[in-house]
Amino acid sequence: MSLIMLYVTNMLGYMLVALPFYIIGRIVFVKRMRSQVNLWRELVLGMFVLYMVGLASQTIIPQWSAGILAETGEFYFDVYLRSAQVNLIPFRTLNAYFFHTYTYVDNWNSVSLVNIIGNSFLFSPIGFLMPCLWKRWQSLKRILWIALGVTCTIEFIQLFIGRSTDIDDVILNTVGVMLGYGLFAIVHAKWDAKLKRAGYSPY
């Protein structure tokens, strides 16, 4: 659980830094385009953009550290790049998570759980928020293509920034997006039914 909280905390840090830039940029854009403002949609759009920033921080932004050296007082900034680990065999990593035990890795079960949950549920907001914002993505086929496109692009970028590239991550990420879309479909159907009972047409 502590590992999950660490990832969430790291994401929130990037999201908070991006928040004022997004607000200023969005205000300028709306004024220039003279668009009508729907408060609810603006809130959801803001959540989506900040979520994407947080997602990028954990997937395609290289790991780095910065600070002041105690010995010299000089500022340092280091980016950690290493050779990427690549797995192109489907379910190989998932099999290791579920059925293998590595005694040289502390709390292997916890590490496995974090990777499975992280790779699945971390991507579920894409499947939920995109259909909420844009009707063209209220399609199972289209959201599936988005899921594959986003996850494959991330895994490709990770080849060059020292992170692992794994076909099982693509599988878990895509499942996560589809779980988000499934939740959207349930909420959308219930909302439509509520409108119909109230005598309103949802379309």
Side-chain angles (χ1 to χ4, degrees):
M1 194 65 182
S2 59
L3 283 174
I4 294 176
M5 290 305 301
L6 177 62
Y7 286 123
V8 171
T9 301
N10 288 338
M11 288 181 66
L12 288 175
Y14 280 89
M15 292 164 72
L16 288 173
V17 170
L19 179 59
F21 295 98
Y22 170 76
I23 292 174
I24 294 171
R26 185 62 183 168
I27 290 173
V28 171
F29 176 81
V30 169
K31 285 187 174 182
R32 284 189 176 181
M33 298 300 293
R34 297 180 180 177
S35 305
Q36 290 185 343
V37 176
N38 181 307
L39 183 58
W40 172 248
R41 189 179 189 281
E42 290 298 325
L43 288 173
V44 176
L45 181 61
M47 289 172 56
F48 179 71
V49 172
L50 293 176
Y51 156 76
M52 293 301 292
V53 171
L55 179 64
S57 73
Q58 301 305 301
T59 55
I60 61 175
I61 295 177
Q63 296 177 331
W64 58 274
S65 66
I68 304 295
L69 292 172
E71 298 83 2
T72 63
E74 296 179 347
F75 175 79
Y76 73 90
F77 180 83
D78 292 325
V79 177
Y80 304 114
L81 295 176
R82 61 184 185 276
S83 298
Q85 296 179 333
V86 180
N87 171 46
L88 299 178
I89 303 175
F91 305 110
R92 180 179 182 179
T93 303
L94 288 174
N95 179 68
Y97 287 156
F98 285 111
F99 302 111
H100 291 186
T101 300
Y102 293 95
T103 56
Y104 54 86
V105 176
D106 293 337
N107 300 318
W108 172 252
N109 291 335
S110 298
V111 173
S112 300
L113 183 63
V114 166
N115 278 285
I116 292 170
I117 292 176
N119 280 298
S120 297
F121 291 97
L122 183 62
F123 283 74
S124 59
I126 294 176
F128 184 82
L129 294 176
M130 285 191 67
C132 286
L133 289 166
W134 300 286
K135 286 187 177 181
R136 64 175 298 185
W137 299 114
Q138 294 178 2
S139 161
L140 178 62
K141 183 178 180 180
R142 287 183 175 181
I143 209 69
L144 177 59
W145 281 114
I146 276 290
L148 290 171
V150 170
T151 56
C152 287
T153 299
I154 288 173
E155 293 302 310
F156 178 74
I157 293 173
Q158 287 180 343
L159 276 173
F160 305 99
I161 60 173
R163 294 177 181 264
S164 63
T165 296
D166 197 324
I167 188 65
D168 285 354
D169 285 350
V170 173
I171 294 171
L172 288 173
N173 297 163
T174 302
V175 168
V177 175
M178 300 315 294
L179 286 173
Y181 180 79
L183 179 60
F184 163 79
I186 293 172
V187 172
H188 190 256
K190 289 187 175 182
W191 179 251
D192 283 355
K194 184 178 180 180
L195 289 177
K196 288 179 180 179
R197 287 195 299 269
Y200 297 99
S201 173
Y203 305 104

